[in-house]
Amino acid sequence: MPERPQPLIGLLLRLANQRWSTEMDAELDKLGVRDLTAAHARVIPFVPPEGVTVQALAAKANVRKQTMAHSVDQLVAAGLVERRPDPNDRRASRVVLTEAGLAIRPISRKAGGTVERAWADQLGEDRLEALRAALIELVGYESGI
C-alpha cells in the first residue's frame, strides 16, 4: 500500500485556526463576551494607544485597505473604535479604541490564555513554545502588536 502523503502545512494551519476560533468563542462566551466577529480580530489587536491609520492597520493585519476600512466601519457602528483627525495629516484620520474597545483586550487575553494553557496541557509547554517561535519567525511578527 502506498504511503499516505503528509498533510500540507496550510491545511493544518487552517484547521488549527478553526480550532482556536471555536475554543476562543467558547471562552469568551463564558466571560460574557458574545458576537465578536472577524472584524474584531482584524482591528482591535493592532490599534496602539495613540491610534493608527486604516492604511497602517491594513499593513499590520496583512489585509487589503478596503477590507480594513470595512472592518473599521463595523467597529465604529458597534462603538468599539472611533475615527479621529490625524494630528500629523489633516487629510487622514486615526482609528482609536473607545473605552468599550479597550475593555475587550484584557478579556480576550484572558480567554486566549485559557486556550493556550489547554493546548500546553495537550502538547507540552516546550512544544507549544516551539510552535509559537516558529510561527513568529514564519510570519515576521513584530512585537508591540
Side-chain angles (χ1 to χ4, degrees), residues 67 79 91:
T67 301
R91 298 167 295 160

Side-chain angles (χ1 to χ4, degrees), residues 84-140:
R84 294 184 185 162
D86 187 329
N88 303 319
D89 182 352
R90 289 179 172 249
R91 298 167 295 160
S93 63
R94 296 183 81 70
V95 177
V96 179
L97 293 173
T98 63
E99 284 189 33
L102 286 167
I104 286 178
R105 278 188 161 158
I107 297 167
S108 181
R109 233 22 229 169
K110 182 176 181 179
T114 300
V115 173
E116 283 193 10
R117 282 189 297 282
W119 286 24
D121 288 346
Q122 179 181 349
L123 299 175
E125 191 71 35
D126 290 346
R127 289 177 66 206
L128 184 65
E129 288 310 315
L131 174 61
R132 183 190 321 275
L135 291 171
I136 286 170
E137 183 178 343
L138 186 65
V139 302

Side-chain angles (χ1 to χ4, degrees), residues 4-13 15:
R4 204 176 209 183
Q6 289 280 28
L8 293 173
I9 291 172
L11 171 65
L12 296 173
L13 288 171
L15 294 172

